[in-house]
Amino acid sequence: MIPAACDARSRTPRLALRGRAEEAVRLADRVDAWVIEGPLPPGLRDRIEPTRLILALDGAGAPLPAERPDAVLLAARTGRDVAALGARLAVHEAERGWPDGRLRILAEIRDPLGVLEARSFVGASPRFDGLGLDEAALAGALAAEAAGETLAQARALVRLAAAAAGVTAFATLRPDEIAGARRDGFGLLITRDPAALSAASP
């Protein structure tokens, strides 16, 4: 199942910071998970434990890591992207001698098509553990304000699709948006801004 840092059953949403690997060791003890952009340096996972390590992938065909993270964060448009990555991860684990099925997938929607296809993620892969929304990316695609009605509707659709799939709902947010996401029942909050550490406190 999904790493403990992203447990959908937790009453308090977990917090993850997103950034480069060189920042992870310095701030790892202040968050539940770290989303790494770029290659994973050797030994990083051991250096930041017990913080969970999540690797961001730009698409289902992106290069797979030589170092094993706890999960991957996939920029996905439909459930087919999750299924395709799941198949690749199975081969990758076998080739590297990693435990079968251990690498989990969190799918992040960034554009309007992903929102409209949110139901396609249900049952996409046995590795599928979370469905989320990058609100800033979607706002850019829509030329809409982050607090606009369209984004609120998108957030609700993604939240419903995650519930239907039985996976964690998560969102990538600015610090000032975290309180609203907590009220909406998101189990994992991702931000690029360390200022969110105080905003996420209950």
Side-chain angles (χ1 to χ4, degrees):
M1 294 299 291
I2 200 164
C6 314
D7 189 347
R9 294 167 296 183
S10 174
R11 293 190 178 190
T12 302
R14 305 305 189 189
L15 179 66
L17 283 175
R18 180 170 182 166
R20 309 296 296 181
E22 54 267 25
E23 303 173 286
V25 175
R26 180 171 60 88
L27 295 172
D29 61 346
R30 302 179 64 190
V31 293
D32 300 293
W34 192 279
V35 180
I36 297 294
E37 298 175 327
L40 295 182
L44 178 63
R45 188 167 177 268
D46 294 335
R47 293 173 66 195
I48 68 171
E49 284 190 342
T51 302
R52 299 293 182 171
L53 179 60
I54 302 170
L55 176 65
L57 298 179
D58 288 335
L64 298 179
E67 297 279 322
R68 183 170 66 84
D70 295 295
V72 293
L73 178 68
L74 172 67
R77 303 185 80 193
T78 74
R80 291 187 296 276
D81 294 329
V82 173
L85 179 60
R88 291 186 65 213
L89 289 177
V91 174
H92 191 65
E93 286 175 335
E95 290 176 343
R96 296 195 166 269
W98 295 346
D100 180 50
R102 187 70 60 84
L103 270 173
R104 316 305 293 174
I105 299 173
L106 308 179
E108 183 175 59
I109 294 171
R110 300 180 180 178
D111 61 31
L113 177 62
V115 176
L116 293 176
E117 293 286 339
R119 64 181 296 174
S120 72
F121 290 93
V122 178
S125 169
R127 298 174 183 270
F128 181 42
D129 273 352
L131 181 64
L133 183 66
D134 184 333
E135 296 200 5
L138 183 60
L142 295 170
E145 292 295 330
E149 181 180 348
T150 302
L151 283 187
Q153 292 174 348
R155 181 187 287 185
L157 285 171
V158 170
R159 180 69 186 88
L160 286 169
V167 300
T168 296
F170 67 91
T172 296
L173 305 158
R174 299 193 311 262
D176 62 338
E177 298 169 322
I178 283 179
R182 290 179 61 212
R183 289 193 299 269
D184 289 343
F186 284 82
L188 173 65
L189 310 176
I190 301 174
T191 182
R192 297 176 183 274
D193 189 346
L197 295 172
S198 57
S201 299

